[in-house]
Amino acid sequence: MGATGSAVSRVPGADEIQKETGFSSAHIYRLYDRFQVLDKDDNGVLSRRDLQSIGELAVNPLGDRIIDAFFPNGVETIDFRSFVRILAHFRPTEENRQREPNASEPLNSRNSKLKFAFQLYDQDKDGKISRAELLQVLRMMVGVEVTDEQLESIADRTIQEADLDGDGTISFEEFKKSLEKVNIEQKMSIRFLR
Amino acid sequence: RPPHLPAGINRGSALSLNGHGSDSSGGHNSHDSGHGEGHSPDGLQIVSFKWHHVEAPYIIAVWILVASLAKIVFHMSHKVTNVVPESALLIFLGLLLGGVVWGADHSASFTLTPTIFFFYLLPPIVLDAGYFMPNRLFFGNLGTILMYAVIGTVWNAALTGLSLYGVFLTGIMGPLQAGLLDFLLFGSLIAAVDPVAVLAVFEEVHVNDVLFIIVFGESLLNDAVTVVLYNVFDSFVAIGGENVTGVDCVKGIVSFFVVSIGGTLIGIIFALLLSFVTRFTKHVRIIEPGFVFIISYLSYLTSEMLSLSAILAITFAGVCCQKYVNANINEQSVTTVRYTMKMLASGSETIVFMFLGISAVDPNIWTWNTAFILLTLVFISVYRVIGVVIQTWLLNRYRMVQLEIIDQVVMSYGGLRGAVAFALVALLDPEKVKERNLFVSTTIIVVYFTVIFQGLTIKPLVSWLKVKRSEHRDPLLNEKLHGRAFDHILSAIEDISGQIGHNYMRDKWAKFERRFLSKLLMRRSAQKSRDQILNVFHELNIKDAISYVAEGERRGSLAFIRSASTDQLVNVDFSTQRPSIVDASVSALLRGNPSSVCLDMQAIEEKRKSVRDKEDTLSHHVLQQYLYKPRHQTRHKYSRHAITPNTEDNKQEKEIFRRTMKKRLESFKSTKLGVNYSKKSIKNYKKDCMPRKVNPEYSDIEEAHEHEVAHQDIGISFIASATRQALAETYNGIDNPTFISDENVMVRPAIPPWLSNEDTVVPSQRARVQIPWSPNNFRRLTPLRLSTRSVDSFQMADGPVPEHPRMTLPEGTHL
């Protein structure tokens, strides 16, 4: 798996990817390897079924939602760049990076991570998690023993806790606020994607 | 060069099971009773007390019984076992019993002799470790493990020995008849981390997988180093310090490689032998488990005979044979093997610790030298810490997953010494090593200290460290919920982005393994079921399908098709007859009532009453209890004392899997059809319904058969039910599958024909054409083996135009 310079150059657009996501070239190479393994029909793009063939996702409650996150706006396939861009959200946050004033927010900042998670809940992309959407997610994450009534009461309570402006939905700001004590940097970072 | 275990029997530590001085010698002539009967001493005795007759086995049995009873007593109190590790309790018990024996006999009748330990007590423990070793984790971290095992042990041994010698030279220890070599010998036997002790303690402390496998692997693999060092220094001591030459040193280094690699090879050879043998044990299922134990034990003894590392041999025998043995032997045999192994290992460990306690009560061996003992303790701890820190720093530069401070603390603190060190020191020859008794006493103290003190305190230490890093307060509902969601997200992303490094090697190995090893070592039926699973929907092979069904029938698994109970369907024991499982369930579906399969558990549950409770605590409680656990928490973990039941994991996975497949199918139906792309997706959706288990990549299909089969069935019945429900309105029954498929093609292009054909037994158009129509026949054919080609043909043809050359059904079909 030697991540030599020449190997990285095989990866299309490696330089821009590196700049955009902050991955080291070794990682980009490894991810490209992985991309190629996933890309069953070798056409340089991943489709939903490629991701669905990762069996472990089938037993992950949020598996399908996450797959959907890779295909925003109804696109059918993604290229390597988009693939890496999503994964970049899960790089460990660097605490002491200097932020250039004009640079856009890095993909792996706390805010970006939270935005990614928020988008998993918010299916209709209206910037708010409605009660129905929350119920949907809850339903996916609990066992079948939990009845709908119980689930609804949990959802109501959850919204109550987080909803500051009383509109019955959770906006992104409220979402962020409710998680301010949680160590997102650790919970949403994969250690080996430095 | 003396072998690892020089004929231990002659070493003065004889099988001292005979209590010497025991005067309970019941003669078979009961001349003690003094009855008048005995005027003819050769008369018939009705009952006699034949102690010597049964002495040896009786005593062994009694000790085993005592140890087991002790375990029962210990586990009655959770409070105690939570705080004090079982090993410590057993040592205390041993001390107590030793005191009793001493009091009764004034001699140490029972001790842990090296022979018994190395020949009977240690092999089961190590075999258990190897057999249940999580291979992926182990080989993934092999480099790290080797580094700690080899370099770390050498470092510890050398520095401890040298430091002790250095201190000795300063005279603090007083007059000891020991030279540099003696100290080095002592250092080498005290330096090694002990697998028995480590496991015993780590059971209580829940550390993460990587850390666990590193410490555990290290404790197993350092045996090679220990053996070599011990033997080398032992022989040096025998030769005499002055006569040691450079050549001898070089020989020592060479012997390390020979011993370790040789031991491993022997283990692998025996594993191959075992796998090969189990391939043919189909007809002797009752004794199948026996092979596992006998052959593994032989690997241990063979390696011992050739003076190679026996522990490495039996470890690798277990590691390598796992997969094939599990694939080959009958399901009940698998369970038997697992339980027996656990029983032997657990029992051995109990006896070992108990005897460690008993053996200490022997004033003959006790020699006290404060400085020596104290310094030994200090040195081994300090050098371990330093060693771990340096090595970790080095390794972190090359590892994907870094080892953090808390990991290093646990590693240093968890380096326990145990019975292996004790047995090795008991092997020393008092003639050659004058200070043997001192060494023995010190070893005992060290072992007690690490097992008891470090064992007791490691748990609080770890929780203190962990707590220190995170705030301790009750999480909000939101935090719990979203936190768990994050865990799932993280798991998913990890899976998507591929696991930690080494994928290339793993893929290569998997390919090699599939092409050669599996062919040789796995039963053809096991191979087939694995391959078939992979290729399903890719290649239709009716012949295979039929032979499967035929085979399944022969094995009698189709018997439960006859049952009308749907409960049985859902709860069918997937662990039997894997190849035919698939067809059996769907056939049952077909044969049965359309609406009988209710896999929507939710619907069932909704009927149950639910209590309306607005209490906050209830919500928390519900979440706590019912939130699905993320993958990390349910990961298989090695445990000495329990066989992790898969039922919990299975249940969660089944539910999630069902839901996912259902959703995918539904979203599938609503996408545009008739496009090649969607067809392919369909094919792959189906593929997904095939056995997926926790580790998904195709190359890992062979692992975790239980999951495999469970998912297989659920997926199929799932799709079957989903489509059935879809069709239920339009069609009356499905007795005539051919009819349906035709109709489908013409009348309902909206639903791809293949979907309805899922219910039917006819796997492909070509088969349909050839098989005479009668409902009974269809039961025999496995519908699942749809091929892409047949799917395509459904899509593209309005009429049944088979693309493939006609195939006559094989003779064996009994149609």
Side-chain angles (χ1 to χ4, degrees), chain A residues 34 56 60 121 141 145 157, chain B residues 482 495 616 628 651 694:
Chain A
R34 175 68 177 168
E56 222 160 21
N60 187 315
Y121 287 95
M141 293 205 340
E145 303 91 4
R157 183 126 308 110
Chain B
H482 299 312
D495 295 325
D616 212 25
Y628 285 137
K651 177 158 112 45
V694 187

Side-chain angles (χ1 to χ4, degrees), chain B residues 408-658:
Chain B
Q408 295 173 45
V409 167
V410 174
M411 262 195 281
S412 329
Y413 205 68
L416 310 179
R417 275 62 170 180
V420 173
F422 177 75
L424 284 177
V425 86
L427 266 181
L428 290 176
D429 185 354
E431 304 302 316
K432 287 193 244 156
V433 181
K434 303 281 191 293
E435 293 291 342
R436 175 189 179 266
N437 283 341
L438 173 61
F439 289 170
V440 170
S441 322
T442 315
T443 309
I444 292 183
I445 302 273
V446 167
V447 168
Y448 282 15
F449 179 79
T450 56
V451 170
I452 300 178
F453 181 71
Q454 280 179 240
L456 260 170
T457 52
I458 193 169
K459 212 171 168 189
L461 178 69
V462 168
S463 14
W464 177 71
L465 277 174
K466 280 198 183 139
V467 169
K468 209 155 96 74
R469 294 154 132 255
S470 61
E471 289 177 41
H472 185 69
R473 53 180 209 28
D474 282 325
L476 301 172
L477 208 56
N478 264 285
E479 291 174 356
K480 258 196 209 160
L481 176 64
H482 299 312
R484 188 54 63 83
F486 293 153
D487 288 335
H488 288 304
I489 296 174
L490 197 60
S491 289
I493 295 287
E494 270 181 2
D495 295 325
I496 293 180
S497 68
Q499 284 294 346
I500 314 165
H502 306 300
N503 275 335
Y504 177 72
M505 284 295 303
R506 200 180 290 151
D507 290 338
K508 272 266 178 306
W509 166 255
K511 272 200 208 115
F512 165 75
E513 196 272 328
R514 172 184 310 285
R515 284 183 55 203
F516 299 110
L517 289 182
S518 293
K519 287 220 169 54
L520 183 64
L521 300 174
M522 273 171 101
R523 283 194 197 164
R524 289 211 14 245
S525 57
Q527 281 179 51
K528 266 193 189 166
S529 82
R530 181 204 59 193
D531 289 342
Q532 200 70 357
I533 284 157
L534 284 182
N535 297 331
V536 75
F537 301 136
H538 278 189
E539 247 121 27
L540 173 61
N541 190 337
I542 291 195
K543 200 166 179 174
D544 271 354
I546 291 181
S547 71
Y548 270 122
V549 178
E551 157 123 21
E553 274 231 322
R554 197 176 50 78
R555 293 203 209 176
S557 70
L558 292 181
F560 62 81
I561 288 181
R562 325 283 180 224
S563 137
S565 152
T566 55
D567 282 343
Q568 204 178 17
L569 172 68
V570 176
N571 298 328
V572 75
D573 178 21
F574 300 114
S575 51
T576 54
Q577 329 303 354
R578 269 168 250 131
S580 46
I581 263 311
V582 162
D583 38 80
S585 54
V586 184
S587 312
L589 255 186
L590 310 179
R591 191 199 44 96
N593 334 321
S595 58
S596 60
V597 179
C598 179
L599 287 172
D600 190 351
M601 297 291 290
Q602 232 169 312
I604 297 178
E605 296 308 313
E606 268 164 9
K607 301 208 174 88
R608 282 215 214 137
K609 285 197 158 164
S610 70
V611 177
R612 277 203 173 257
D613 196 325
K614 300 280 186 190
E615 295 266 1
D616 212 25
T617 46
L618 187 71
S619 306
H620 274 276
H621 169 72
V622 167
L623 268 191
Q624 194 69 28
Q625 196 172 354
Y626 291 115
L627 269 182
Y628 285 137
K629 296 196 180 46
R631 183 167 45 96
H632 302 280
Q633 292 182 22
T634 60
R635 198 177 296 189
H636 168 84
K637 194 177 154 216
Y638 176 77
S639 157
R640 165 69 45 76
H641 300 291
I643 298 195
T644 49
N646 284 325
T647 48
E648 273 302 312
D649 299 356
N650 267 356
K651 177 158 112 45
Q652 171 176 321
E653 275 169 14
K654 273 190 206 172
E655 288 172 8
I656 302 178
F657 187 76
R658 244 182 247 156

Side-chain angles (χ1 to χ4, degrees), chain B residues 67-85:
Chain B
S68 317
L69 286 176
K71 261 181 102 104
I72 299 181
V73 170
F74 291 153
H75 283 280
M76 282 192 191
S77 159
H78 282 291
K79 263 186 280 192
V80 175
T81 48
N82 253 340
V83 174
V84 186

Side-chain angles (χ1 to χ4, degrees), chain A residues 165-184:
Chain A
D165 59 8
D167 63 354
T169 63
I170 306 182
S171 71
F172 182 54
E173 291 305 321
E174 289 162 353
F175 184 70
K176 262 202 302 192
K177 190 127 205 336
S178 72
L179 293 173
E180 63 187 356
K181 300 245 178 59
V182 176
N183 186 353
I184 300 289

Side-chain angles (χ1 to χ4, degrees), chain B residues 79-195:
Chain B
K79 263 186 280 192
V80 175
T81 48
N82 253 340
V83 174
V84 186
E86 198 183 285
S87 36
L89 286 171
L90 284 166
I91 291 185
F92 287 138
L93 172 72
L95 283 171
L96 204 65
L97 288 175
V100 166
V101 169
W102 173 256
D105 262 353
H106 289 287
S107 70
S109 320
F110 307 101
T111 54
L112 184 67
T113 59
T115 320
I116 302 184
F117 178 72
F118 281 118
F119 281 158
Y120 302 113
L121 293 176
L122 189 60
I125 298 178
V126 183
L127 176 61
D128 172 75
Y131 193 79
F132 290 98
M133 176 81 73
N135 272 356
R136 212 158 196 229
L137 212 50
F138 179 66
F139 287 109
N141 287 293
L142 193 58
T144 311
I145 293 177
L146 278 176
M147 171 121 181
Y148 282 116
V150 176
I151 313 265
T153 313
V154 170
W155 162 276
N156 278 336
L159 279 179
T160 310
L162 288 173
S163 322
L164 283 172
Y165 181 62
V167 173
F168 166 68
L169 286 179
T170 65
I172 301 183
M173 293 188 198
L176 292 176
Q177 297 172 301
L180 171 65
L181 285 174
D182 295 282
F183 283 107
L184 283 173
L185 177 59
F186 180 68
S188 69
L189 64 87
I190 202 85
V193 175
D194 185 87

